[in-house]
Amino acid sequence: MHTSRKNLFLYLPILILFLASFIWVLKAPDHFSWSADLYLRNDDTSVLSQLFYSDNDELSQDNSTDGTRDGNIVTFSGLPDLRSLTLFRFDPTNTQESYRVTHVGFFLNGEAFFTMEAADLEAQAFPVNASWQLNGEELVFTPQNPDSSFLLSADSIREAAENAAAKLHVLYVRQRFFLALSIALLLCVLLFFRNGIASYLKTLFLPDSSGHFDWFAFISTAVIAGALLVVCIIGLFSALGLHPDEWDVKACLDYGMTHFLPPDMRDPAVAQTYSGYGYTKLENYTWYFYLAGKIALLFKTMFCSLAYYRVPNLLLFAALTFYFVRNIRQKNWLMVALGICVQSWYIFSYTTADALDFTIAFAITCLLCNPQSLLYRTVEKKKLCRRDIPAFLLLGLLFGNIALGKQCYLAILALSFFVLLLRLIWQKDPLQKKVLWRNYLIIVGVFLAVFAFRAGFDIAHYGTEKSQVKEAVAIQYADYDKNPSTPTKELNPSWHMYSRGYTLSDVFAENPDWFAMSYKSFCGLLQDHDTGAWYYWCMGLLYLALFAGIGIATFRQPDNLQDKIRFVICTLLMVGELAASIVNSWLIESMAQGRYLLPCILIAGYLASTVPELFQKKIYRTLLSIAGILSVGYFGLVGIPLFF
């Protein structure tokens, strides 16, 4: 009883701090950033646009801001509090050339709260030194001299600004409350597990009872912790759109926040999810957008300033990091699978379904590497009962979702197939072989059910005409140089080369650096063009040395034909992964993508797990540590500046 009371008192300071934080939650100042934009169409995009504002109906040069032009959008940033202004004067151009205005918008912290279309402007604004005429959705201005403008009363804008600020204040209070609550809960968790954390840190930093210091576990933990830190920095603070395909992936995630089932591609509700390639990622079989979307919705509700669309992937990588740190001492092969490849970290720092595919593939790899895992215990079960149903369902779901994900991860499905097939072939007991066959077929049955369930939505939407529907929506949404209706000679040279009669050699003629870019975007970042060749040479030599070490250790094992066959099969799977990436460039687009090769590191991790004695060799642990340090160093020193 005394111990229980003592433990409760340990949490008392946290409770006091949490209650005290309510002063900050309710009274902290809110950050408001006001701006406006003008949709302007004129021939000369270099003209100066200005916005004058006043809180007493008197305009002066001191109370003005110059616009920033981006295409047809002119943005006026750094405006004072719009709730106190009474008058605006927009000077769209400083020439006498005719111009057109489509709309004027006002923003609070980048979110539009008030928009006036051309018809609204004609009714409420007043032209100065110009005449205008409404033409459809545009207001056509004819300047009388270079100093043309239009005046706009701020009455309706001020009211909208007050409403927007009030709503945002509520969101800020909610965000500060959940932040305080999250910190309090985190402190409680750390306090609850304080003994286990202290014990782990002690074993990490200090020698054990025999005087042995596990420097490899220490370096590995530092590497993955550094990777997690960089992933969080990039994920939480980098701008949207700096990462591959993130705009349209975010649009798909936004759709998944409020929907549960795959839509018809022709549904107007998914129109905003189409990319310039003419397709929506919602047509893919992955469930990522519907699962991650619900997590994103939760965090968007709690934290209005958070990059909510990246939170699901950050949580996935945090889970992988926790597993890595907790098991690296006993499972040194984890360093091969997760600690030496920049791209395997980078995909968690932005919005992409690849993160879920990699996580599932990693989970399956862990099952394959552990002789006592759920996978092997389940397939060896002789007598089945109701308690075994969840295990079969979980395994079927894992394998099924690999099949539903990006095609490159089918290599992990093939790896699982061959590992289990070899287990069946090497089983000498006829009765146990029957047990394996039965249990394999149960897992395959669940796998097929998972796949059929997702395919059923396509059949319901399109019947047998999905290809025709895909072509129709591609014509509707694709950019001109990728549109099926575009004449062949005017298509992007790298687009769908196979269907246009080009050979495989033409792919490399169009993209002569294909292999170099695939490799560089595997151990580095696709956006990086400045890192010296020394880094890529070092990583390449380290990769070769580490893989050669696995091969040598495997073939040195006496009387172990199964492991040697397994090594050959895995090597062929890696080669097949590279070949599949080449074929993808031939069929779809010739752009190199190192992330398509990520299953290779998981296959290498599996092979490393079959020769645990290899990690007893100091030279191998040293090479692996150097590879990890180089990778995380590159990720932090190159990756962070690259996105900021």
Side-chain angles (χ1 to χ4, degrees):
M1 186 69 177
H2 175 71
T3 304
S4 177
R5 286 181 178 178
K6 182 179 178 181
N7 287 336
L8 287 175
F9 277 118
L10 290 175
Y11 295 92
L12 187 59
I14 299 176
L15 177 61
I16 294 173
L17 288 173
F18 175 65
L19 295 175
S21 70
F22 273 71
I23 300 174
W24 169 73
V25 168
L26 298 174
K27 298 297 183 180
D30 300 326
H31 170 69
F32 291 156
S33 174
W34 305 91
S35 60
D37 76 1
L38 174 73
Y39 196 91
L40 174 66
R41 291 180 179 176
N42 68 315
D43 295 332
D44 185 2
T45 58
S46 63
V47 298
L48 175 65
S49 299
Q50 287 185 296
L51 172 60
F52 293 79
Y53 47 84
S54 171
D55 58 3
N56 58 7
D57 292 338
E58 295 182 4
L59 300 171
S60 70
Q61 192 67 38
D62 294 334
N63 295 327
S64 68
T65 182
D66 294 340
T68 302
R69 187 76 176 261
D70 183 11
N72 290 323
I73 300 293
V74 182
T75 302
F76 303 96
S77 303
L79 297 180
D81 193 335
L82 299 190
R83 293 172 292 180
S84 63
L85 301 184
T86 60
L87 183 66
F88 294 100
R89 192 184 87 189
F90 286 87
D91 291 15
T93 74
N94 55 356
T95 71
Q96 283 189 256
E97 296 180 5
S98 176
Y99 56 87
R100 294 160 291 164
V101 173
T102 302
H103 74 254
V104 169
F106 294 89
F107 299 81
L108 174 57
N109 290 8
E111 295 290 332
F113 67 86
F114 189 80
T115 301
M116 299 184 72
E117 304 296 340
D120 301 321
L121 290 173
E122 184 190 36
Q124 301 181 38
F126 304 94
V128 178
N129 297 327
S131 60
W132 63 20
Q133 182 178 359
L134 185 63
N135 183 17
E137 297 180 351
E138 297 179 334
L139 200 56
V140 181
F141 282 75
T142 304
Q144 297 170 356
N145 61 50
D147 192 24
S148 67
S149 61
F150 62 91
L151 294 172
L152 182 62
S153 172
D155 292 343
S156 55
I157 300 167
R158 189 169 57 249
E159 182 181 353
E162 290 174 352
N163 292 334
K167 291 178 181 178
L168 186 57
H169 171 70
V170 173
L171 294 179
Y172 271 133
V173 170
R174 182 193 300 170
Q175 176 172 267
R176 290 192 289 264
F177 169 76
F178 280 112
L179 180 59
L181 180 62
S182 299
I183 293 173
L185 291 175
L186 177 61
L187 292 174
C188 289
V189 170
L190 293 176
L191 189 59
F192 184 81
F193 292 104
R194 62 189 181 278
N195 293 330
I197 295 172
S199 176
Y200 175 80
L201 293 176
K202 183 178 179 181
T203 59
L204 186 64
F205 289 99
L206 299 175
D208 58 22
S209 57
S210 64
H212 172 70
F213 174 67
D214 192 347
W215 57 269
F216 177 74
F218 176 79
I219 292 175
S220 300
T221 302
V223 166
I224 201 67
L228 176 62
L229 176 62
V230 178
V231 164
C232 289
I233 291 173
I234 295 175
L236 293 175
F237 303 110
S238 65
L240 176 65
L242 296 178
H243 312 282
D245 303 329
E246 193 172 31
W247 278 110
D248 50 287
V249 177
K250 176 186 176 294
C252 294
L253 187 74
D254 287 341
Y255 179 89
M257 290 196 303
T258 54
H259 295 79
F260 294 87
L261 300 175
D264 189 319
M265 288 184 282
R266 298 161 293 189
D267 187 344
V270 304
Q272 75 279 6
T273 67
Y274 277 85
S275 68
Y277 293 99
Y279 81 100
T280 170
K281 289 180 171 59
L282 292 173
E283 77 179 57
N284 296 340
Y285 274 19
T286 178
W287 290 97
Y288 170 80
F289 302 108
Y290 312 99
L291 299 174
K294 304 307 177 291
I295 298 172
L297 178 61
L298 173 64
F299 279 86
K300 183 181 181 182
T301 303
M302 293 191 298
F303 304 102
C304 63
S305 302
L306 191 66
Y308 64 90
Y309 42 88
R310 294 182 183 146
V311 171
N313 289 357
L314 296 180
L315 293 177
L316 283 177
F317 192 66
L320 294 185
T321 301
F322 177 78
Y323 181 86
F324 182 100
V325 169
R326 196 166 183 268
N327 293 278
I328 186 61
R329 283 179 170 275
Q330 296 77 31
K331 302 174 181 179
N332 294 160
W333 61 267
L334 285 171
M335 190 61 177
V336 178
L338 195 61
I340 58 173
C341 179
V342 170
Q343 195 63 211
S344 68
W345 307 328
Y346 173 59
I347 60 172
F348 291 92
S349 67
Y350 64 99
T351 312
T352 174
D354 292 36
L356 179 61
D357 295 337
F358 183 89
T359 302
I360 296 174
F362 179 83
I364 291 175
T365 304
C366 291
L367 292 175
L368 294 173
C369 292
N370 182 5
Q372 305 302 319
S373 71
L374 177 69
L375 172 63
Y376 296 126
R377 295 200 312 270
T378 302
V379 298
E380 296 285 353
K381 277 270 186 178
K382 293 182 178 179
K383 293 184 178 180
L384 301 181
C385 60
R386 291 181 180 178
R387 288 178 297 179
D388 299 317
I389 293 176
F392 283 105
L393 290 177
L394 177 60
L395 293 171
L397 281 170
L398 284 175
F399 291 124
N401 278 281
I402 279 290
L404 298 180
K406 195 175 288 291
Q407 288 87 340
C408 62
Y409 288 96
L410 291 176
I412 301 301
L413 202 59
L415 172 66
S416 306
F417 170 80
F418 285 115
V419 169
L420 295 176
L421 178 63
L422 289 175
R423 192 180 190 89
L424 180 65
I425 293 173
W426 253 259
Q427 178 57 250
K428 297 180 180 179
D429 185 351
L431 292 177
Q432 191 60 33
K433 272 195 174 185
K434 290 182 179 179
V435 169
L436 289 174
W437 268 115
R438 181 198 63 196
N439 295 340
Y440 286 179
L441 290 175
I442 294 174
I443 295 173
V444 169
V446 178
F447 163 83
L448 293 175
V450 170
F451 190 86
F453 178 73
R454 175 58 186 88
F457 289 97
D458 279 3
I459 295 173
H461 291 319
Y462 321 114
T464 58
E465 299 179 350
K466 183 177 181 179
S467 59
Q468 293 92 320
V469 173
K470 287 183 69 173
E471 183 176 3
V473 295
I475 292 173
Q476 182 179 358
Y477 294 107
D479 291 340
Y480 182 78
D481 65 342
K482 301 178 183 69
N483 201 298
S485 63
T486 301
T488 302
K489 292 182 179 180
E490 299 180 31
L491 288 171
N492 187 313
S494 66
W495 184 246
H496 286 190
M497 298 186 72
Y498 172 77
S499 63
R500 292 158 57 200
Y502 289 99
T503 64
L504 199 55
S505 60
D506 293 327
V507 174
F508 300 115
E510 173 64 26
N511 193 348
D513 296 327
W514 191 93
F515 285 101
M517 289 307 300
S518 290
Y519 168 66
K520 287 182 177 181
S521 59
F522 173 77
C523 62
L525 298 169
L526 186 64
Q527 302 91 333
D528 174 34
H529 305 290
D530 300 323
T531 299
W534 67 268
Y535 168 76
Y536 301 106
W537 275 104
C538 287
M539 290 305 300
L541 292 173
L542 286 167
Y543 286 155
L544 288 174
L546 293 170
F547 188 71
I550 297 172
I552 292 170
T554 300
F555 281 89
R556 278 184 175 175
Q557 292 178 335
D559 302 324
N560 200 339
L561 180 61
Q562 185 177 356
D563 280 349
K564 295 173 184 176
I565 293 175
R566 188 185 294 126
F567 181 87
V568 172
I569 290 173
C570 288
T571 303
L572 292 175
L573 286 175
M574 292 182 185
V575 174
E577 192 73 13
L578 177 61
S581 184
I582 294 172
V583 171
N584 179 76
S585 294
W586 190 18
L587 296 176
I588 309 298
E589 187 180 29
S590 65
M591 183 178 180
Q593 293 278 6
R595 57 189 170 135
Y596 295 162
L597 304 177
L598 284 179
C600 292
I601 64 166
L602 298 178
I603 295 172
Y606 168 73
L607 287 175
S609 74
T610 64
V611 282
E613 66 277 6
L614 181 63
F615 293 94
Q616 302 304 315
K617 299 183 181 298
K618 188 175 182 179
I619 182 63
Y620 196 82
R621 291 156 70 94
T622 300
L623 291 175
L624 201 50
S625 299
I626 293 172
I629 292 170
L630 277 176
S631 297
V632 76
Y634 170 93
F635 194 34
L637 298 177
V638 176
I640 292 178
L642 194 61
F643 299 112
F644 293 92

